[in-house]
Amino acid sequence: MANNSRVVVVGAGIIGLSAAYHALAEGFDVTIIDREPAGDKASFGNAGGIAVTEVIPASVPGLWRKAPFWMLDPLGPLSVRFAHAPRLLPWLWHFSQVGSASEVDRISKALAAINGRTYEDLVPMFAATGLAGELIRRGAITVYESENGFFKDRHEWDLKRSLGVEVQELSAAQVREMEPALGPVVKRGVFTPQWSHITDPKKIVDLLRAWLVANGVELVQENVDRIGPVKDGCEVFVSGGRTINADKAVVAAGAWSGELARQLGDRVLLESERGYNTTIVEPRVSLEREIIFAERKFVATPLSVGLRIGGAAEFGGLNAEPNYARSKALVKLARIYLPGMDGTDGIEWAGHRPATPDSLPVLGRASVSPNIIYAFGHGHLGLTQSATTGKLVGDLLVGRPPAVDLEAYSVNRFAISKKDALNDPAYVFLR
Ligand SMILES: Cc1cc2nc3c(=O)[nH]c(=O)nc-3n(C[C@H](O)[C@H](O)[C@H](O)COP(=O)(O)OP(=O)(O)OC[C@H]3O[C@@H](n4cnc5c(N)ncnc54)[C@H](O)[C@@H]3O)c2cc1C
C-alpha cells in the first residue's frame, strides 16, 4: 500500500536491489541511484554461493601464525599491496582485536542470526520476482587434502554445529561418490546440506533490477557525491549539481560506502578485499554442487554460465589495478583437485568485497539522522545475506522492531572517543 514517502537507495548491487524490493513492498516510492547500474561489481561476478553455514569470522585465534605463510606466496590466498599497507593499519588493528575466543563467539552468533534467516527471506523474494528456478539447493562439500587439515578445522566445525549448522563428515570414497570429478588428492570431506548456490549472479541482479523497474522503481544513473540530512528527510547530491530530495535514504554502495558514511560523520572501517575468479565455459568435468577447498582457500561453483573457480583476498584499495595472474593461479590449483578439467577457455574477473574487520555488515541508522540507513560491508556473504538485509532495511524504514537485534551491526562499533583515541595506536592513521 502506497505511503507517499520516497526512499532513495544508493547502489544497485544485490544489497541495494534487495533493500529496494523491501522498500517497495512497504509501500514507498523508490529511486535507486547507481553510477553504473548494470556494471560489473561484486554482485555481478561473485561465486554464487548461498553460504548460510559460514558463521565464523575471518579473524580467529591463531590466524596470525598462518597468515604470514599465505602471504609468502605472491599468488596465494592473502595479499596486501605494499603501497596500501599504511592506510590499512586501523582496519588491521581492529581485525587483530576481534580475533579472541570470546569475540569469535559473539561475532559467530551475530553471523548465525542473519544467515539463519536466509531462506525465510530469500525464497519469497525469489518467488515474487520470478527467480525461484535460479536457486539450487544441493548443499556444498568442503574438501581436505590431508587428515591433518581436517583435524585442524575440527573445532570450527564443532562451533558451527553448536550454532545450528548441519555437518556430515565424509570419507574420501563418500566424497568421490557424490562428486566423481574430484581426484585422489581429496582425503576427507564435510557435507553441509543447508548451503545452496544460484545459477548465475549476473542473471540474478539483471532480472531483479528489471523486475523492480517494471514494478515502478525509478532507476537513475548518476554518481552520488554526498547525502545530507535535512529536517524530516534527506538530500542526495548527485554529480552535475542535481539534488534529489527523499524522506529516507539507504546507503548500499558496497565497498564505496565508507566515504558516504564518513561525510555523514560516522567512522567506518571498510576496506576493499578484492577477490578473483575464472569462469570456464566448457570445463569437461561436472560438479553437482559447490566445492570449498579448505586448505587452499578457494571454491568451485557449477553455474549455468560455466564452472566458476574463485577466491583470493587482496587488500590494495579501490583504485589499484587488478592482477589477473591470481585468476590464472586459481585455475592451476583447481586442476590439482579436478584432474579432468579443461581450463583453457576461462573468463577472468575481479571484484571488491566490502570488508569490515569483524566480518559483520554495517546495518542500522546513521548517527546523524534516523532517516539515513546503512546497509553495506557484507564481505564474503553479500549474496547470502542480501534478502535478509533487505527485510531488515524494510523494518527500519517503517519503524518496526527489526527481525534481528541490530546492535552487533551498528556503525557505532567503530566510533572512537577523543580520550580513547589517544590510547589507540591506529588512530593516527584515521581517515
Ligand atoms: C570473488 C568473490 C566471490 C564472492 N562469492 C560470494 C558468494 O559465493 N556468496 C556470497 O554471499 N557472497 C560472495 N561474495 C561477496 C558478495 O559478492 C558481496 O558481498 C556483495 O556483492 C556486495 O554487494 P553490494 O550490493 O553491497 O555491493 P556491490 O555489488 O559492489 O554494489 C555496489 C553498487 O554501488 C554503486 N556505487 C558505489 N558508490 C556509488 C556512488 N557514490 N554513487 C552511485 N553508485 C555507487 C556501484 O556502482 C555498485 O553498482 C563474493 C565476492 C567476490 C569478490
Side-chain angles (χ1 to χ4, degrees):
M1 196 190 303
N3 66 18
N4 295 325
S5 296
R6 176 157 299 276
V7 175
V8 164
V9 178
V10 182
I14 191 66
I15 299 295
L17 295 174
S18 305
Y21 170 81
H22 278 278
L24 190 67
E26 297 292 354
F28 288 91
D29 293 332
V30 183
T31 300
I32 302 176
I33 310 178
D34 195 305
R35 59 186 166 223
E36 217 187 335
D40 194 20
K41 303 298 177 288
S43 301
F44 299 73
N46 61 53
I50 305 299
V52 294
T53 63
E54 292 300 283
V55 293
I56 298 188
S59 184
V60 289
L63 182 76
W64 296 98
R65 283 196 297 277
K66 294 184 209 161
F69 289 100
W70 291 338
M71 288 173 66
L72 280 178
D73 176 357
L75 297 179
L78 174 67
S79 71
V80 175
R81 297 253 181 127
F82 188 69
H84 189 63
R87 291 181 69 84
L88 193 61
L89 282 177
W91 191 99
L92 278 178
W93 173 253
H94 198 107
F95 184 83
S96 71
Q97 298 302 291
V98 295
S100 66
S102 60
E103 280 292 84
V104 170
D105 190 53
R106 176 186 69 81
I107 294 166
S108 299
K109 283 184 182 135
L111 283 171
I114 295 197
N115 290 8
R117 277 193 62 95
T118 294
Y119 294 114
E120 204 174 319
D121 299 317
L122 191 73
V123 170
M125 185 175 88
F126 272 25
T129 55
L131 296 173
E134 312 300 324
L135 181 65
I136 297 160
R137 298 184 74 168
R138 293 192 197 136
I141 304 181
T142 302
V143 298
Y144 290 89
E145 55 185 281
S146 70
E147 286 285 335
N148 196 22
F150 172 68
F151 282 110
K152 272 190 185 155
D153 275 2
R154 209 158 212 160
H155 65 285
E156 292 199 2
W157 289 114
D158 289 343
L159 177 55
K160 286 183 181 179
R161 269 195 190 97
S162 74
L163 292 164
V165 172
E166 284 176 46
V167 171
Q168 295 170 24
E169 295 181 12
L170 303 174
S171 66
Q174 286 170 320
V175 171
R176 266 185 292 281
E177 203 174 298
M178 292 173 78
E179 296 291 354
L182 288 166
V185 68
V186 172
K187 300 291 186 300
R188 274 288 204 154
V190 177
F191 179 51
T192 43
Q194 292 152 313
W195 190 300
S196 60
H197 66 275
I198 54 168
T199 51
D200 172 17
K202 176 169 163 36
K203 187 174 178 188
I204 297 295
V205 280
D206 283 349
L207 292 180
L208 190 50
R209 195 176 61 245
W211 185 92
L212 289 166
V213 171
N215 284 276
V217 169
E218 180 190 24
L219 185 62
V220 174
Q221 180 160 8
E222 289 284 3
N223 184 71
V224 172
D225 292 336
R226 188 167 67 81
I227 302 169
V230 290
K231 191 172 176 296
D232 297 332
C234 43
E235 291 176 327
V236 181
F237 300 91
V238 299
S239 299
R242 194 151 75 97
T243 306
I244 297 174
N245 294 303
D247 298 284
K248 295 177 191 291
V250 180
V251 179
W256 295 267
S257 304
E259 190 51 37
L260 294 170
R262 270 189 288 274
Q263 288 165 354
L264 288 161
D266 282 314
R267 181 184 191 236
V268 180
L269 294 176
L270 184 74
E271 280 291 331
S272 152
E273 182 190 335
R274 192 182 244 152
Y276 289 83
N277 64 43
T278 300
T279 307
I280 301 161
V281 181
E282 287 183 26
R284 303 231 173 95
V285 291
S286 68
L287 293 173
E288 279 295 299
R289 52 185 69 72
E290 185 162 355
I291 305 294
I292 300 102
F293 303 92
E295 287 107 330
R296 314 267 191 158
K297 309 274 171 236
F298 73 102
V299 302
T301 320
L303 302 177
S304 59
V305 287
L307 184 64
R308 182 161 292 169
I309 318 286
E314 180 189 72
F315 292 88
L318 285 164
N319 299 319
E321 283 298 310
N323 173 8
Y324 288 108
R326 292 191 180 284
S327 299
K328 292 179 182 56
L330 288 165
V331 174
K332 239 172 137 179
L333 276 183
R335 292 179 91 153
I336 299 174
Y337 292 87
L338 296 163
M341 189 185 87
D342 181 351
T344 49
D345 62 347
I347 299 160
E348 295 168 350
W349 177 86
H352 298 283
R353 297 184 192 94
T356 61
D358 56 9
S359 303
L360 293 173
V362 178
L363 257 175
R365 299 185 196 281
S367 329
V368 73
S369 165
N371 297 316
I372 301 174
I373 293 166
Y374 294 142
F376 59 82
H378 296 76
H380 288 234
L381 293 173
L383 170 64
T384 307
Q385 297 172 344
S386 57
T388 298
T389 295
K391 154 83 182 139
L392 294 167
V393 167
D395 291 341
L396 290 171
L397 286 172
V398 296
R400 206 170 32 227
V404 172
D405 179 357
L406 293 183
E407 200 188 326
Y409 321 101
S410 164
V411 73
N412 294 335
R413 69 194 194 265
F414 302 122
I416 188 162
S417 70
K418 284 224 166 79
K419 186 163 156 268
D420 288 347
L422 296 173
N423 299 319
D424 184 341
Y427 184 69
V428 67
F429 297 101
L430 178 64
R431 285 157 285 163

